[in-house]
Amino acid sequence: MKHMPKHRDLPDITLSLLFICLMSIMCLWILKPFIISFTWGSMIVITTWPLFLKIQRVLWKKRLLAVLVMALTLILVFIIPIILLINSVIKNSSLLMIWLNTRHFESPQLYWLNTIPIIGQKFYLYYHDLVDASGKTLLAQLQPYAGRTTSFVLSQAKHLGRFMIHLGLMLTSSVCLYWYGDKIGENIQCFAVTVSPKYGQSVLVLGIQAIRAVSCAIVITGCAQGLLGGIGLSISGVPFATILTVVMIFSCLVQLGSLIVLIPAIIWLYWTGDNTGGTVLLIWSVLLSALETVMRSFLIKKGIDLPIILILVGIIGGLLSFGMIGLFIGPVVLSVSYRFILSWIKKYPIFYDNDNILIDQSKMKK
């Protein structure tokens, strides 16, 4: 048998590297339609894996029963609320159109502008001149854009259909990850240790901690923010407050925020002349936005011991750079890099050993 030479020449190494890069790019290209769904499924499984193990122990250590319970839970948490929300919007759309058609909308007077010192009266006069003289001209300029409503509705329907497909793929990938979680966890650990024998496994633990902390913070903060926003809508007298609260909770969970509902509600209150309700809801929205950032950062810091400024930078930077999935990527990357730099500066190991990361969660640092 002929043995491979110990020293490979440069063309051989270059061609091997090009082949590996080409195959990696092709694999990513093929998996591109499934990356978002698989990533969300992975985040859900990593976050709920300790709960899954407890359910499995309760159900006589039957993996199939535990997977079925978790699948039903995901359907109840993600699929059914979205279907109910869409059904509720469709049912109430006719009532909303009737309500809009039976009301006579007029431009708000904005008398409160006169109470602003120095510049208030000038703004008030300029506003009424604009409405009285240029209102019809402005409507005439906006009228040609009304024809784009159909294409906008179709595009939103397309996005909704794509979102439902991603939900189905997320559910499927989550079920597969629950079923093969042990084997996948062992393979990931072997890969991490192969790449970095000293710190690989500990980096994996740190990444899992960051993902779980961010996931719990997003769910708790989103639900709390949506419910508090709904309370503000009810206090201010905004119609359809229940439906808007459900929309707001969902938008907070997908990281669109509560302002996507609160800002139109504030504008509507001022437009109808309810200045008191509009001001109350405006102050409530500002406080709610500040509470969101503080609460999310506090919960993440409670789940993983990192400086709060690092967590904030990771959340905001990851969200701006990678979108919603950046909420997880940002804190994970910064936390691992921070620990590595700290270890290098202070010359002591900051990671800890942990066996069977996905199998036995009892040893993980809380």
Side-chain angles (χ1 to χ4, degrees):
M1 182 182 294
K2 295 182 179 180
H3 297 280
M4 294 292 292
K6 295 182 179 180
H7 300 286
R8 303 175 65 183
D9 55 2
L10 182 60
D12 191 10
I13 297 175
T14 303
L15 290 175
S16 300
L17 182 61
L18 288 176
F19 177 77
I20 294 174
C21 293
L22 178 62
M23 293 302 294
S24 301
I25 293 173
M26 291 298 295
C27 291
L28 290 175
W29 186 264
I30 294 171
L31 296 175
K32 182 180 178 182
F34 308 98
I35 288 177
I36 296 178
S37 306
F38 182 77
T39 303
W40 281 114
S42 302
M43 300 300 175
I44 292 173
V45 172
I46 290 174
T47 305
T48 59
W49 187 261
L51 176 63
F52 171 74
L53 294 179
K54 292 180 181 178
I55 293 175
Q56 182 176 332
R57 286 193 293 267
V58 171
L59 297 176
W60 308 281
K61 298 183 179 180
K62 298 293 184 180
R63 176 61 58 94
L64 178 60
L65 296 178
V67 171
L68 289 176
V69 170
M70 295 305 297
L72 292 175
T73 303
L74 293 179
I75 292 174
L76 291 174
V77 173
F78 291 99
I79 308 297
I80 292 181
I82 295 174
I83 295 176
L84 294 176
L85 175 61
I86 295 174
N87 187 35
S88 177
V89 171
I90 294 174
K91 284 184 177 180
N92 291 278
S93 59
S94 58
L95 297 175
L96 181 61
M97 294 303 298
I98 295 174
W99 181 78
L100 291 174
N101 292 327
T102 54
R103 293 185 64 91
H104 178 66
F105 290 99
E106 296 180 353
S107 59
Q109 298 299 317
L110 301 183
Y111 293 115
W112 55 272
L113 287 175
N114 289 318
T115 61
I116 301 177
I118 302 175
I119 61 174
Q121 188 175 6
K122 293 182 179 180
F123 275 111
Y124 177 79
L125 295 175
Y126 175 76
Y127 167 75
H128 279 276
D129 290 339
L130 181 64
V131 172
D132 296 338
S134 304
K136 296 181 179 180
T137 305
L138 181 61
L139 291 176
Q141 293 176 353
L142 294 176
Q143 187 174 3
Y145 295 96
R148 300 182 181 179
T149 304
T150 304
S151 60
F152 174 76
V153 173
L154 291 176
S155 64
Q156 297 306 312
K158 179 181 177 181
H159 291 312
L160 179 61
R162 186 180 301 172
F163 178 72
M164 296 302 293
I165 292 174
H166 281 305
L167 279 179
L169 293 175
M170 179 272 293
L171 180 63
T172 304
S173 62
S174 299
V175 171
C176 294
L177 289 172
Y178 281 126
W179 187 264
Y180 299 104
D182 298 334
K183 296 180 181 179
I184 295 174
E186 291 176 0
N187 292 331
I188 293 175
Q189 290 183 66
C190 291
F191 176 78
V193 172
T194 302
V195 173
S196 177
K198 187 176 182 180
Y199 294 133
Q201 190 172 355
S202 300
V203 169
L204 188 61
V205 174
L206 186 62
I208 292 174
Q209 282 185 329
I211 291 173
R212 287 180 178 167
V214 173
S215 300
C216 294
I218 286 176
V219 173
I220 296 175
T221 305
C223 293
Q225 187 181 8
L227 292 174
L228 291 174
I231 294 174
L233 293 175
S234 300
I235 294 175
S236 303
V238 177
F240 304 102
T242 303
I243 299 176
L244 293 176
T245 301
V246 176
V247 174
M248 196 158 26
I249 292 175
F250 178 73
S251 64
C252 291
L253 291 177
V254 299
Q255 299 307 298
L256 294 177
S258 60
L259 295 180
I260 195 173
V261 175
L262 293 176
I263 290 178
I266 293 171
I267 295 174
W268 181 85
L269 287 172
Y270 280 116
W271 185 270
T272 55
D274 189 0
N275 297 331
T276 302
T279 304
V280 170
L281 188 59
L282 177 61
I283 297 173
W284 187 270
S285 301
V286 173
L287 295 176
L288 194 59
S289 299
L291 177 64
E292 173 194 7
T293 304
V294 175
M295 185 176 180
R296 183 189 290 121
S297 303
F298 173 77
L299 290 174
I300 295 177
K301 183 174 176 59
K302 190 175 180 179
I304 182 171
D305 188 16
L306 288 174
I308 192 168
I309 185 64
L310 192 70
I311 297 172
L312 284 173
V313 171
I315 293 173
I316 298 174
L319 184 63
L320 295 177
S321 302
F322 301 100
M324 288 186 291
I325 199 65
L327 289 168
F328 301 93
I329 296 176
V332 170
V333 172
L334 289 185
S335 61
V336 172
S337 302
Y338 171 76
R339 291 293 179 89
F340 267 121
I341 294 173
L342 193 64
S343 175
W344 176 63
I345 293 175
K346 296 188 177 182
K347 301 298 181 182
Y348 66 88
I350 44 79
F351 296 112
Y352 50 89
D353 293 330
N354 193 342
D355 297 330
N356 300 326
I357 295 173
L358 293 180
I359 298 175
D360 185 8
Q361 301 294 333
S362 61
K363 297 180 182 179
M364 181 171 290
K365 181 181 177 182
K366 296 182 180 179

